[in-house]
Amino acid sequence: MTRAAADAAVTCLLALSLVLIRDSASLFLPDSKELRQLLSRYEEEAEQNPTAGNRTRRSIRWSDREEILQLHNKLRGSVYPTASNMEYMVWDDELERSSTQWAEECQWDHGPQDLLMSIGQNLAVHWGRYRSPAFHVQAWYDEVKDYTYPYPHECNPWCPERCSGPMCTHYTQLVWATTSRVGCAVHVCPKMNVWGEIWENAVYLVCNYSPKGNWIGEAPYQHGRPCSQCPPSFGGGCKNNLYSQRSETEDMNEVEKPQVPLPPRTTARPVPKPKPSAPKKPVSKPSTPRCETRLRDKCKGATCNRFKCPANCLNKKGKVWGTVSYDVQSSICRAAIHSGAIDNNGGVVDVTRTEKFPFFVRSTKNGVYSVFFSSLPVTEMSADCYTTVAEICPFKRLTPSHCPRILCPDNCKMQPSYWSPVIGNNIYADTSSICRSAIHAGVIKADGGLVDVLPLDKRKTYTGILKNGIQSESKSNTDGGSFRLFVVRQ
């Protein structure tokens, strides 16, 4: 994408931000310069190589390259069980160039085919808000939670493949002991087909590895005391559980050549190319609310979603409380019209929570009449593990529902689900235990604490999931309302 194209994209994007909390909101226009920088982050920035005197155009920023390399070595040195033959990894310009060529193809698949037999490869993609390459490297390593290391006595002669999740090969390639070189590239694809969906301005990360790992029937590394199986001919040292042929202070931009030829592999076969792991969709993809949709029904956590307001909301029934700052009972789209951020033709709105306001001012602006609103002081209530929203502050359609701030005790995680049920995930049925739901949501830990509760209208279905040591239930067509929980910042 050229600078002109990025400017055009920014010009066409009618975006604003509604900043909200449980009791209030405010508006501001985003900085279009920041958006342009995000879209052109990897396409138009030439980085200077600190070890050279000239400026060169690279496919990845120098700072990102260093972050990727350092994180690889940090993760490789911290594997469990410990590795006795884990090599220190260096950057390889040739691998970077091959990664660049493939990234520029904008294909969500491994390739090119003629290289895959001799190199390893990990892929990642995202769009929307910025994520550093290190975010994806960490996500590859986090597959370790589904991987069980095969000990030597289990390999007779081949090691079993033990992956309990959808994918572990990103992790095993990252920690493959004899893989000592890596080169990555980042490319912004104007349009990219990701499993049947077209993503615009997709940020595509490709990392190539050599020598390749993921050989069928082999463990990624040998277990033992760190560096205890370092070949004597290497003549290097051991630092942070990794051994290398040269000092870390030497130029890592060169291709490192092993002094002893690696023995040919005659029995192991390369793993067939894995399917890339499913990328997480960013929270910034616009959803389309109705004109009457209130902020409280859609605002999810510290940063809320992006909403695309429809046209002709000016004369709809959704109420608005406040001026400049708006209460969460307000209609998202009519508050945006009232503030002047969009007009009756609709537009895109970003919603973000902010600090609390004690009152909201009444006014008529842009054809929308807002109502005066004074917020009530927040009260604090000590609850037990069985307290529910249905008991203390059930959702009410016609009048705002205000819940006290809940102080949870420290023994709720071990309570039986029969007496303290948790129904749903992130949004919970109002018959759920508030405190056990807060632990499930990650809002508090098992030792208790304060939580804020936001009552919501009922949901058709609730999906159960095991999270933070608590298994929630799935239910459909339940009576009553629902609720969300928020962290109390002190």
Side-chain angles (χ1 to χ4, degrees):
M1 177 182 289
T2 64
R3 174 68 68 182
D7 289 340
V10 173
T11 303
C12 294
L13 177 63
L14 182 58
L16 65 145
S17 295
L18 280 172
V19 182
L20 306 175
I21 63 164
R22 177 168 170 260
D23 295 308
S24 64
S26 62
L27 288 151
F28 64 92
L29 288 173
D31 182 6
S32 60
K33 180 180 178 181
E34 180 180 350
L35 180 58
R36 288 197 302 268
Q37 290 174 345
L38 173 62
L39 296 180
S40 62
R41 181 176 178 86
Y42 294 105
E43 291 187 312
E44 300 184 358
E45 184 169 354
E47 288 291 333
Q48 183 174 9
N49 186 335
T51 61
N54 62 329
R55 295 183 66 87
T56 57
R57 182 177 295 274
R58 305 191 67 92
S59 57
I60 188 167
R61 295 168 10 123
W62 182 271
S63 59
D64 286 338
R65 159 186 160 163
E66 290 299 295
E67 187 178 28
I68 289 173
L69 186 59
Q70 291 177 17
L71 183 56
H72 270 76
N73 283 315
K74 176 183 176 182
L75 297 174
R76 287 165 65 85
S78 61
V79 294
Y80 183 84
T82 55
S84 61
N85 65 330
M86 188 70 73
E87 292 192 37
Y88 182 83
M89 188 170 279
V90 298
W91 193 267
D92 189 317
D93 280 349
E94 289 299 324
L95 291 175
E96 179 187 333
R97 278 190 280 272
S98 64
S99 297
T100 301
Q101 293 171 0
W102 184 247
E104 290 175 348
E105 295 293 324
C106 293
Q107 295 184 32
W108 181 235
D109 200 356
H110 289 279
Q113 292 297 324
D114 58 341
L115 281 180
L116 291 180
M117 293 302 294
S118 57
I119 65 168
Q121 187 177 79
N122 281 347
L123 307 176
V125 65
H126 76 274
W127 63 271
R129 67 181 182 185
Y130 170 70
R131 296 184 187 276
S132 71
F135 171 88
H136 296 294
V137 174
Q138 184 65 54
W140 294 336
Y141 182 85
D142 288 345
E143 292 175 1
V144 67
K145 68 182 186 300
D146 299 320
Y147 181 76
T148 302
Y149 178 83
Y151 287 90
H153 68 273
E154 301 174 283
C155 303
N156 188 24
W158 308 114
C159 298
E161 181 180 350
R162 291 181 174 173
C163 180
S164 60
M167 184 72 63
C168 296
T169 51
H170 298 100
Y171 163 73
T172 51
Q173 175 59 82
L174 194 154
V175 300
W176 202 267
T178 56
T179 298
S180 58
R181 300 190 296 278
V182 64
C184 304
V186 180
H187 182 71
V188 178
C189 298
K191 290 187 178 180
M192 186 173 181
N193 188 325
V194 181
W195 289 353
E197 293 187 5
I198 302 301
W199 288 16
E200 295 184 354
N201 300 316
V203 182
Y204 191 20
L205 170 65
V206 178
C207 284
N208 286 344
Y209 299 86
S210 181
K212 74 170 292 163
N214 286 345
W215 293 88
I216 290 178
E218 294 189 15
Y221 57 85
Q222 298 179 33
H223 170 49
R225 181 171 55 84
C227 301
S228 61
Q229 297 190 43
C230 173
S233 58
F234 269 45
C238 179
K239 185 175 182 180
N240 298 327
N241 300 332
L242 307 171
Y243 69 81
S244 63
Q245 296 186 58
R246 59 176 66 192
S247 170
E248 294 182 35
T249 59
E250 294 185 43
D251 181 14
M252 293 185 297
N253 197 36
E254 300 177 6
V255 178
E256 188 176 39
K257 302 296 184 182
Q259 298 177 9
V260 178
L262 296 176
R265 300 182 184 271
T266 57
T267 56
R269 295 176 290 112
V271 175
K273 65 175 184 178
K275 289 289 184 182
S277 59
K280 296 182 179 179
K281 292 187 178 181
V283 297
S284 58
K285 185 176 181 179
S287 62
T288 305
R290 296 180 300 172
C291 295
E292 297 83 3
T293 301
R294 296 175 298 178
L295 301 170
R296 64 174 294 163
D297 297 329
K298 290 292 184 179
C299 187
K300 300 178 180 179
T303 301
C304 299
N305 286 346
R306 176 172 295 173
F307 304 103
K308 185 176 182 181
C309 289
N312 303 318
C313 288
L314 182 61
N315 297 318
K316 298 296 182 178
K317 295 182 179 180
K319 290 187 177 181
V320 177
W321 281 271
T323 300
V324 180
S325 298
Y326 300 91
D327 179 64
V328 292
Q329 305 288 340
S330 303
S331 157
I332 298 173
C333 299
R334 298 194 77 238
I337 295 175
H338 183 272
S339 69
I342 62 173
D343 56 24
N344 199 35
N345 293 321
V348 178
V349 180
D350 280 343
V351 181
T352 305
R353 294 165 62 87
T354 186
E355 69 276 0
K356 183 178 178 180
F357 287 82
F359 62 88
F360 301 92
V361 179
R362 174 177 56 198
S363 68
T364 300
K365 294 177 63 178
N366 302 315
V368 177
Y369 174 75
S370 69
V371 181
F372 173 81
F373 181 83
S374 178
S375 61
L376 298 174
V378 176
T379 59
E380 188 172 304
M381 170 184 170
S382 295
D384 56 28
C385 302
Y386 317 110
T387 304
T388 67
V389 172
E391 295 171 345
I392 62 172
C393 53
F395 175 81
K396 299 177 182 178
R397 289 182 178 274
L398 300 180
T399 59
S401 302
H402 294 281
C403 290
R405 180 165 287 174
I406 301 298
L407 177 61
C408 292
D410 62 357
N411 61 342
C412 291
K413 183 175 181 179
M414 305 308 296
Q415 294 298 315
S417 58
Y418 179 81
W419 299 108
S420 303
V422 177
I423 304 168
N425 178 36
N426 295 329
I427 297 180
Y428 302 92
D430 65 0
T431 53
S432 302
S433 161
I434 295 175
C435 295
R436 293 192 78 234
S437 298
I439 298 173
H440 183 270
V443 174
I444 61 173
K445 296 183 179 180
D447 57 357
L450 290 169
V451 297
D452 278 336
V453 181
L454 177 63
L456 301 171
D457 203 352
K458 68 178 181 180
R459 297 294 191 268
K460 291 183 179 180
T461 60
Y462 300 89
T463 303
I465 187 175
L466 176 62
K467 192 163 64 174
N468 297 318
I470 294 178
Q471 175 67 56
S472 64
E473 302 174 31
S474 298
K475 283 192 177 180
S476 301
N477 301 319
T478 60
D479 295 329
S482 62
F483 66 97
R484 287 188 65 89
L485 296 159
F486 299 97
V487 177
V488 175
R489 306 290 184 186
Q490 294 181 325

